[in-house]
Amino acid sequence: MRTDSGQIFRLEDYRESDYLIPEVELTFLLDPQETLVRARLVVERRENVAAVTALELDGDGLNLSSLAIDGTPATGTAFEATPDRLIIARPPSAKRFTLDIETRLQPSRNKALMGLYVSSDVFCTQCEAEGFRRITYFLDRPDILSVYTVRIEADKKAAPLLLSNGNPVESGKLDGGRHFAVWHDPHPKPSYLFALVAGDLGMVSDSFTTASGRKVALGVYVEHGNETRAAYAMDALKRSMRWDEERFGREYDLDVFNLVAVSDFNMGAMENKGLNIFNDKYVLADADTATDLDFANIEAIIGHEYFHNWTGNRITCRDWFQLCLKEGLTVFRDHEFSADQRSRPVKRIAEVRGLRAHQFPEDQGPLAHPVRPRRYREINNFYTATVYEKGSEVVRMIRTILGEDAFCAGMDLYFERHDGQAVTIEDFIKAFEDASDRDLAQFALWYHQAGTPHVAISSRYDAGEKSFTIEIEQSVPPTPSESRKRLMHIPLAFGLVGADGQDMVFDAVEGAVVEDGVIHVRKRHHSVRFTGVPARPVLSINRGFSAPITLSGETSTDDRLFLARHDSDPFSRWQSLNTLFTEALLSATRTVRGGDEPLFASELVGAAVSLAANDALEPAFRALALTLPGEPDVAREIGANIDPDAIHTARIALLKAIAREGRATFDALYAGLHDNAPFMPDAAGAGRRALRNVLLEYLALADENPAPAKRQFDAADNMTDRAAALTVLANHFGETQEARAALSAFEARYADDPLVLDKWFQIQASVPAPETVALMRSLMEHPHFSITNPNRVRALIGTFAMGNQRAFHSADGSGYRLVADTVLALEAHNPQVAARLATAFRSWRSLETGRRDEARRVLSDIAKHENLSRDLADIVERTLA
Ligand code: PHE
Ligand code: ZN
């Protein structure tokens, strides 16, 4: 494990390397206990670098067996090798020379899951961001682009399958039951995209013919016996390939595309050139084992990794500060893909809910950082919602500002200009400026400034003058290390909604640039005056969530209810109802803390019920509209002195109020939504199930009776309905015989299926009750709990820490201690996953004093440990700062 040197990396310190590595030949003699790696590097001195300048290669825990320089074995003083560095003080003076480096690895002991490791008897690699240096010494930075040739040798029985990047070149038998394969990737790539897989896997194969007629062999590799569960992934891959051609004009560029599912993986998936490696959670799916959400995630992540081929691989990052260059852009592309495959409005609402749940708390807490950070201690800690999700929102705003045509021209120019290069955010922005003739200098602050901008709005109608005026005030709250903020360019999509629900037309507008339904806010204050407005409109603002901001204003309940019913923008309809729910929950939470029973306005409860029954709206939309803001959403709105128990009580009270009012309506709807057709993972079917499952919770609460959930659990022919029913039973009826029986039946049925068993752990970890802490301690003793499998850790501990506000924040601090103990246990073998789990503490300062003190104590105890990994030390210290 790397221990912390405390070194900080800064954007302004970027410097080109003195040497390049145009060619790499790797040979792997695979063995789980001891693997020999031979690397032949062709090294080239850059143009204006003096001959014999020292060459320093990165390593991480390496064990050097031998080194030759230009074919001659190097000895003694010719080099200096430590586990973390290989320094050749006086390299050959020729412009080009070769290094032959031999290292020895122990893949089966690698539990950090970075570099070369073994997962369920399959050799695989993970090199992003800095894992390649755990395989061999290298200039392990993304601006070093090399052509790779890889030879793999392994035992033929244990590893009949040998894969690497690029195209297959040669394969054959060797002595002693071994065999080999050679792969060549003609596209120069950074080391973080290198990959190797070797093992005994089942396969689904297919092919895809690109627009220009290249026939590509496609392979999806999974554990034997899981082949039928890979069909959906293959289908999603082919749809991704077609979509990128049609929407972005981007074709695939190799003869093969392979995708491998492994069961031990730190993240979701990895876009290695021509050989994507996936967490099997995002590959395997069928009706019996995967929910609709699983199917949607698989489609999105298959798309995401495939789209990286152009945004990330062909055009890569100059350095890791530019991570959002590939991630934000590729998330934007996968969002668009999903929106085209499914319902665009429903997808947008889900994105915004995700952004608020994951990115807003990051931006508003101690770990806040710009979309393009300027400094880091450990780059692994910057694979964040800010870089990914806010990074995507920023690209989306560029499209809003430029319009579809200029945006496409900018993308085309970016691809054309930078293909084969390692570039920066400045290069990206410049392509849009050049293609559109616009100045994006102020807009670029979205990349450079952390924090969620706030916009305050008020408006008035003057009937005599027939004018409508909107007062707009922007502010950006201070964040760690950035106390003063500059004014942003905020594109606010809007409409002036008339009594008939149509947008009103106006004669003229002054006070801001207003174009194509967007107000461009660029100053601190704008007074935007519309004239020729025949009657008082209802203002619909930030339509489609055109800017990732928080908004305040004194919109009346009547106006919000009106927008919820009539706005032409579906996002805004959802938002209006959601805001009303949030306001009701804020006031109910205050009531609960004052010791009283909360009451809810009948018009709000009635609006929810009538929306549920509105056949003109698609079921998936209705399901989202009827889903109350989560407990963390309410906590975020409260902002300070948070009492999670009061929020929980208030939310249950609103659920029950709606349940009682809607009982008869929901009953009829629930029955009507049932269909007898076999399960299909399409968007329409998923939408019907989503609505039905939201209704199920209300029905169970209406009579406080587990029977409806029990019936659905027993009758379900698919995992979506089964897991939803089990969740209702566990969350609301945990003490009943019905809940206990269902949990055991589920456990028995799926004992041998790790991905489904993860759901069983997850459902129990999310039960919002104080007793969950004790239950967690016993689940961690379960024979199937494993601290080395990241999916299992995330399902149990991750869910508890990030998805169970009430139990994690138990007043006695027991939830904090449980998570801290796990973080420290994980830290010893997998610092990356440990550090991520520790981010659960990031909102500790906004809690009421008792919990705040408990959290601070637990965090300080972690910080006191000696030899913390760089990953964990970085998170804990920033969280406490
Ligand atoms: N680059 C991967 C993705 O977003 C994420 C990842 C990062 C995976 C680091 C593994 C390690 O597509
Ligand atoms: Zn990505």
Side-chain angles (χ1 to χ4, degrees):
M1 187 176 82
R2 283 194 295 215
T3 45
D4 188 28
S5 66
Q7 188 186 351
I8 308 274
F9 296 88
R10 291 170 210 281
L11 171 60
E12 66 264 27
D13 292 344
Y14 174 83
R15 205 176 69 82
E16 263 183 9
S17 61
D18 293 330
Y19 292 92
L20 300 170
I21 308 179
E23 285 168 45
V24 177
E25 276 175 42
L26 296 172
T27 302
F28 288 83
L29 309 187
L30 288 177
D31 178 282
Q33 267 68 52
E34 182 156 276
T35 287
L36 183 73
V37 183
R38 288 197 198 110
R40 162 163 295 188
L41 314 183
V42 174
V43 182
E44 192 178 292
R45 184 162 40 83
R46 270 195 212 260
E47 223 33 81
N48 32 36
V49 171
V52 207
T53 299
L55 171 62
E56 249 194 75
L57 301 179
D58 306 299
D60 180 0
L62 286 176
N63 174 5
L64 180 70
S65 292
S66 75
L67 171 69
I69 303 174
D70 273 337
T72 309
T75 52
T77 55
F79 66 94
E80 185 194 323
T82 70
D84 300 342
R85 226 154 245 319
L86 173 61
I87 303 175
I88 300 170
R90 300 182 53 79
S93 57
K95 188 144 190 326
R96 268 184 175 232
F97 56 92
T98 61
L99 296 181
D100 289 282
I101 303 171
E102 282 193 351
T103 49
R104 280 174 205 282
L105 316 177
Q106 296 168 331
S108 64
R109 295 181 52 184
N110 179 355
K111 300 296 173 205
L113 315 183
M114 289 293 281
L116 177 68
Y117 65 96
V118 177
S119 170
S120 305
D121 297 324
V122 177
F123 292 92
C124 65
T125 55
Q126 173 53 45
C127 293
E128 186 177 6
E130 297 176 337
F132 192 72
R133 62 183 68 180
R134 292 165 62 93
I135 294 173
T136 191
Y137 293 100
F138 203 71
L139 291 174
D140 191 15
R141 43 187 284 173
D143 59 349
I144 296 295
L145 307 182
S146 322
V147 172
Y148 284 70
T149 306
V150 179
R151 179 185 169 96
I152 311 169
E153 298 186 13
D155 182 78
K156 186 162 183 173
K157 241 180 106 215
L161 173 75
L162 306 174
L163 302 175
S164 190
N165 316 91
N167 298 318
V169 178
E170 203 194 331
S171 61
K173 275 174 84 169
L174 298 168
D175 291 344
R178 292 178 71 84
H179 71 148
F180 76 97
V182 179
W183 291 79
H184 177 75
D185 180 1
H187 298 279
K189 65 169 175 287
S191 51
Y192 80 86
L193 291 174
F194 165 77
L196 167 161
V197 171
D200 187 4
L201 290 168
M203 158 187 218
V204 176
S205 60
D206 206 326
S207 74
F208 179 86
T209 304
T210 68
S212 68
R214 177 198 283 269
K215 189 162 178 201
V216 184
L218 309 178
V220 175
Y221 295 86
V222 297
E223 249 174 50
H224 287 292
N226 275 340
E227 290 85 348
T228 56
R229 288 164 82 181
Y232 185 79
M234 179 60 89
D235 179 58
L237 174 60
K238 289 190 289 177
R239 285 185 282 122
S240 303
M241 295 177 87
R242 188 62 73 214
W243 183 87
D244 212 14
E245 293 181 345
E246 289 169 356
R247 286 289 305 271
F248 282 84
R250 299 294 114 199
E251 266 191 42
Y252 189 61
D253 52 8
L254 288 165
D255 305 333
V256 299
F257 185 89
N258 287 319
L259 190 162
V260 181
V262 299
S263 48
D264 301 274
F265 201 75
N266 283 348
M267 308 278 275
M270 181 63 212
E271 70 265 24
N272 316 298
K273 182 82 187 189
L275 178 54
N276 288 1
I277 298 181
F278 271 64
N279 184 329
D280 59 1
K281 178 177 166 60
Y282 298 116
V283 176
L284 301 176
D286 62 18
D288 186 52
T289 58
T291 62
D292 288 314
L293 179 64
D294 292 323
F295 280 98
N297 285 339
I298 289 168
E299 177 179 84
I301 298 178
I302 297 252
H304 180 96
E305 306 311 330
Y306 175 73
F307 303 143
H308 266 314
N309 192 51
W310 274 93
T311 50
N313 302 4
R314 300 268 310 221
I315 305 180
T316 195
C317 304
R318 187 192 73 172
D319 53 68
W320 291 120
F321 297 100
Q322 321 296 330
L323 184 57
C324 65
L325 176 85
K326 73 177 178 82
E327 295 304 348
L329 176 55
T330 305
V331 170
F332 172 77
R333 278 153 52 72
D334 85 55
H335 283 175
E336 284 298 297
F337 171 58
S338 295
D340 282 348
Q341 304 289 309
R342 292 162 182 260
S343 156
R344 185 165 280 270
V346 166
K347 171 68 182 154
R348 184 62 187 150
I349 294 165
E351 282 161 23
V352 174
R353 284 184 41 162
L355 186 81
R356 287 185 175 140
H358 304 116
Q359 200 276 327
F360 277 23
E362 186 165 273
D363 229 357
Q364 294 163 13
L367 302 179
H369 56 273
V371 172
R372 187 181 66 184
R374 274 181 298 277
R375 47 187 40 69
Y376 62 77
R377 196 161 137 196
E378 172 51 65
I379 187 58
N380 286 333
N381 290 337
F382 284 81
Y383 288 78
T384 60
T386 298
V387 169
Y388 276 68
E389 312 300 330
K390 190 175 179 183
S392 163
E393 293 298 318
V394 176
V395 177
R396 196 171 189 280
M397 284 188 284
I398 296 179
R399 186 179 63 183
T400 302
I401 290 170
L402 264 49
E404 180 71 19
D405 290 352
F407 176 77
C408 290
M411 283 301 310
D412 288 346
L413 182 59
Y414 174 71
F415 288 127
E416 186 190 310
R417 201 181 256 179
H418 297 296
D419 187 14
Q421 301 177 1
V423 305
T424 63
I425 283 299
E426 282 73 15
D427 296 318
F428 181 67
I429 296 171
K430 187 80 170 42
F432 290 104
E433 292 190 322
D434 290 352
S436 68
D437 235 344
R438 293 235 197 183
D439 177 0
L440 294 173
Q442 186 186 10
F443 178 80
L445 284 175
W446 282 101
Y447 283 104
H448 308 319
Q449 230 170 224
T452 310
H454 180 75
V455 175
I457 301 262
S458 64
S459 64
R460 59 180 186 275
Y461 181 67
D462 186 321
E465 283 184 7
K466 300 215 176 310
S467 73
F468 183 68
T469 306
I470 313 176
E471 304 292 343
I472 302 176
E473 180 109 19
Q474 70 157 297
S475 56
V476 186
T479 52
S481 81
E482 284 177 18
S483 49
R484 301 204 35 203
K485 303 282 185 178
R486 290 155 68 193
L487 294 170
M488 313 272 285
H489 177 182
I490 301 172
L492 292 178
F494 79 106
L496 307 182
V497 187
D500 59 355
Q502 302 294 305
D503 284 4
M504 297 165 79
V505 287
F506 47 85
D507 292 342
V509 56
E510 60 190 29
V513 174
V514 177
E515 277 173 0
D516 302 326
V518 176
I519 303 173
H520 292 266
V521 175
R522 306 182 79 142
K523 301 191 293 182
R524 180 172 313 282
H525 177 250
H526 289 262
S527 184
V528 186
R529 184 163 174 270
F530 298 85
T531 47
V533 182
R536 188 190 84 94
V538 176
L539 174 63
S540 170
I541 193 95
N542 208 20
R543 279 182 164 171
F545 208 62
S546 60
I549 55 166
T550 54
L551 201 59
S552 63
E554 74 273 22
T555 313
S556 68
T557 300
D558 281 349
D559 280 356
R560 288 206 206 283
L561 285 169
F562 176 83
L563 291 176
R565 284 195 201 99
H566 300 296
D567 200 321
S568 59
D569 175 46
F571 172 82
S572 175
R573 292 183 74 166
W574 170 82
Q575 181 64 73
S576 300
L577 191 63
N578 193 265
T579 304
L580 288 170
F581 284 145
T582 304
E583 286 171 351
L585 288 171
L586 291 178
S587 118
T589 302
R590 279 193 297 274
T591 307
V592 170
R593 277 182 104 171
D596 290 324
E597 290 252 336
L599 291 172
F600 298 95
S602 61
E603 40 180 359
L604 176 61
V605 171
V609 176
S610 63
L611 198 138
N614 185 346
D615 290 336
L617 298 167
E618 56 179 322
F621 177 86
R622 288 187 270 161
L624 285 170
L626 282 178
T627 302
L628 297 186
E631 293 173 19
D633 295 320
V634 181
R636 218 172 41 249
E637 288 297 323
I638 297 174
N641 189 22
I642 290 161
D643 172 2
D645 290 329
I647 295 173
H648 176 77
T649 305
R651 190 173 179 276
I652 293 284
L654 179 53
L655 276 172
K656 286 188 177 165
I658 296 172
R660 282 191 293 267
E661 173 72 20
R663 200 185 179 298
T665 311
F666 294 171
D667 222 5
L669 272 171
Y670 178 85
L673 281 161
H674 182 70
D675 72 39
N676 286 309
F679 176 94
M680 290 268 289
D682 62 313
R688 280 194 302 278
R689 283 183 290 275
L691 179 54
R692 200 160 173 269
N693 286 323
V694 170
L695 296 172
L696 177 67
E697 183 175 33
Y698 283 115
L699 288 175
L701 285 175
D703 296 338
E704 304 203 26
N705 184 345
K710 161 90 170 105
R711 266 197 304 276
Q712 176 168 316
F713 181 82
D714 291 339
D717 70 346
N718 65 79
M719 183 50 74
T720 304
D721 291 341
R722 191 174 297 125
L726 188 59
T727 303
V728 171
L729 288 170
N731 280 356
H732 301 297
F733 306 97
E735 294 308 304
T736 65
Q737 170 54 27
E738 284 86 343
R740 281 195 294 266
L743 279 166
S744 335
F746 192 97
E747 179 190 12
R749 177 165 177 179
Y750 297 109
D752 298 325
D753 194 322
L755 291 176
V756 188
L757 209 58
D758 283 342
K759 298 183 195 301
W760 181 82
F761 280 104
Q762 187 178 346
I763 286 169
Q764 297 180 82
S766 59
V767 172
E771 304 77 54
T772 300
V773 184
L775 175 67
M776 290 288 294
R777 294 271 180 199
S778 75
L779 287 171
M780 289 170 73
E781 300 294 316
H782 191 282
H784 284 303
F785 180 71
S786 154
I787 190 97
T788 53
N789 176 255
N791 282 355
R792 190 57 42 92
V793 170
R794 281 186 286 253
L796 188 61
I797 322 290
T799 300
F800 175 81
M802 317 270 193
N804 189 344
Q805 176 166 287
R806 190 178 186 210
F808 174 54
H809 295 290
S810 290
D812 61 2
S814 55
Y816 301 145
R817 284 194 296 277
L818 178 117
V819 173
D821 290 350
T822 313
V823 165
L824 288 167
L826 264 171
E827 147 91 349
H829 65 270
N830 192 334
Q832 208 177 319
V833 171
R836 189 161 284 259
L837 183 59
T839 63
F841 287 96
R842 66 189 172 194
S843 300
W844 68 277
R845 270 180 222 278
S846 52
L847 294 157
E848 54 77 27
T849 52
R851 288 171 169 92
R852 196 161 65 208
D853 292 344
E854 292 290 345
R856 182 194 289 114
R857 197 166 313 140
V858 168
L859 279 167
S860 316
D861 285 348
I862 301 180
K864 277 188 217 125
H865 277 252
E866 280 180 17
N867 296 325
L868 284 188
S869 65
R870 180 154 81 202
D871 308 61
L872 185 58
D874 173 41
I875 293 293
V876 172
E877 285 170 30
R878 279 194 284 145
T879 304
L880 276 170

